[in-house]
């Protein structure tokens, strides 16, 4: 039977696709602290500003393409039962061909109702504006988990990590909770590979560090994984 390989990815995964992360922006956008634009309080105070911020990120995404790292992860499906759990709100894993992707922090290319959280819509363009409404008549908001909001997919993600035969962590500083705590749910003895030029510390046994960017690092990872195929 194929082994279950779980990939936990973060902002560094999309860095080579040219997507700017909050930290790359130096934490500021038009002199606003980005962590203050990405909150429910900001949405209450100035929804137009919040929509503008995400519209810009969506414009960036529509110009971006998956990089060699995304593509190599998609190709791992030829050898493993792969599930990707990502903190990224872009859809570059899906564009590269990964078929099982769970988004922890929401999805940039989706909008949702502000009165019914189950009404979620795909966006095919960058603009989401004041006056764009759900079928029940309420304003649409970005389908994003803002700072201070619960992360509804965490229980599902825990289940996925618990079922891993191999865990791969790529491009995340493991600094933002609860996503960062997911590595603690691996079964004892599970091999863990960390692909990251910054070498974030993972407090587990059986950790192999590949201190490279995602593109080159996943190639190296593939060689390491041969013995599990
Ligand atoms: N390839 C792989 N890793 C990279 C690359 C690259 N090309 N470039 C940078 N990195 C690594 C950095 O060394 C760092 O460890 O990616 C990691 C990025 O860390 P963060 O910026 O903290 O991103 P992430 O862990 O995804 O942040 C979590 O915080 O910004 C919020 O909600 C947002 O989902 C995000 C969350």
């Amino acid at each position: 039977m194929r082994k279950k390989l779980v990939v936990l990815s973060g902002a560094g995964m999309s860095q080579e696709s040219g997507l700017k992360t909050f930290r790359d922006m130096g934490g500021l956008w038009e002199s606003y602290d980005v962590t203050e634009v990405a909150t429910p309080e900001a949405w209450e105070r100035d929804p137009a500003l919040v929509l503008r911020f995400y519209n810009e990120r969506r414009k960036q995404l529509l110009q971006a393409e998956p990089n060699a790292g995304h593509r190599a992860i998609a190709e791992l499906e030829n050898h493993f039962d792969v599930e990707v759990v990502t903190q990224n709100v872009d859809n570059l894993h899906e564009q590269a061909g990964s078929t099982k992707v769970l988004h922890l922090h929401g999805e940039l290319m989706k909008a949702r109702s502000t009165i019914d959280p189950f009404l979620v819509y795909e966006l095919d363009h960058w603009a989401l504006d004041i006056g764009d409404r759900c079928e029940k008549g309420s304003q649409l908001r970005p389908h994003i988990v803002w700072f201070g909001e619960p992360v509804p997919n965490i229980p599902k993600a825990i289940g996925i990590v618990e079922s891993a035969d191999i865990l791969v962590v790529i491009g995340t500083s493991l600094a933002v909770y609860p996503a960062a705590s997911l590595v603690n749910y691996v079964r004892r003895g599970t091999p863990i590979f960390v692909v990251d030029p910054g070498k974030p510390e993972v407090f587990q046994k059986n950790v192999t560090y590949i201190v490279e960017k995602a593109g080159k690092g996943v190639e190296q990872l593939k060689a390491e994984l041969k013995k599990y195929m």
Side-chain angles (χ1 to χ4, degrees), residues 159-200:
I160 293 171
V161 172
E162 282 173 340
S163 71
D165 296 310
I166 302 164
L167 180 71
V168 177
V169 179
I170 308 184
T172 170
S173 60
L174 296 173
V176 175
Y177 284 82
S181 61
L182 284 173
V183 289
N184 301 327
Y185 290 90
V186 287
R187 285 175 297 186
R188 198 178 301 172
T190 305
I192 302 177
F193 295 89
V194 178
V195 179
D196 195 306
K199 207 177 174 204

Side-chain angles (χ1 to χ4, degrees), residues 9-16 21-24 57 67 86-89 105 145 147 170-176 179 195-200 212-215:
S9 72
M13 183 80 235
S14 297
Q15 190 263 342
E16 288 161 279
T21 68
F22 290 179
R23 287 160 192 85
D24 284 339
R57 303 196 75 201
N67 62 54
T86 187
Q87 295 166 80
N88 297 343
V89 296
H105 295 161
V145 175
F147 291 103
I170 308 184
T172 170
S173 60
L174 296 173
V176 175
V195 179
D196 195 306
K199 207 177 174 204
E212 294 285 354
K213 290 187 170 187

Side-chain angles (χ1 to χ4, degrees), residues 17-19 56-66 92 95 126:
S17 294
L19 288 185
E56 277 193 22
R57 303 196 75 201
R58 216 172 282 116
K59 259 189 214 170
Q60 246 187 40
L61 173 57
L62 288 171
Q63 286 164 3
E65 286 184 1
L92 297 179
Q95 283 192 45
W126 59 268

Side-chain angles (χ1 to χ4, degrees), residues 130-144:
I130 296 291
D132 290 345
R133 298 179 183 283
C134 77
E135 66 215 50
K136 291 184 178 171
S138 84
Q139 173 67 42
L140 289 172
R141 60 165 274 181
H143 184 47
I144 297 284

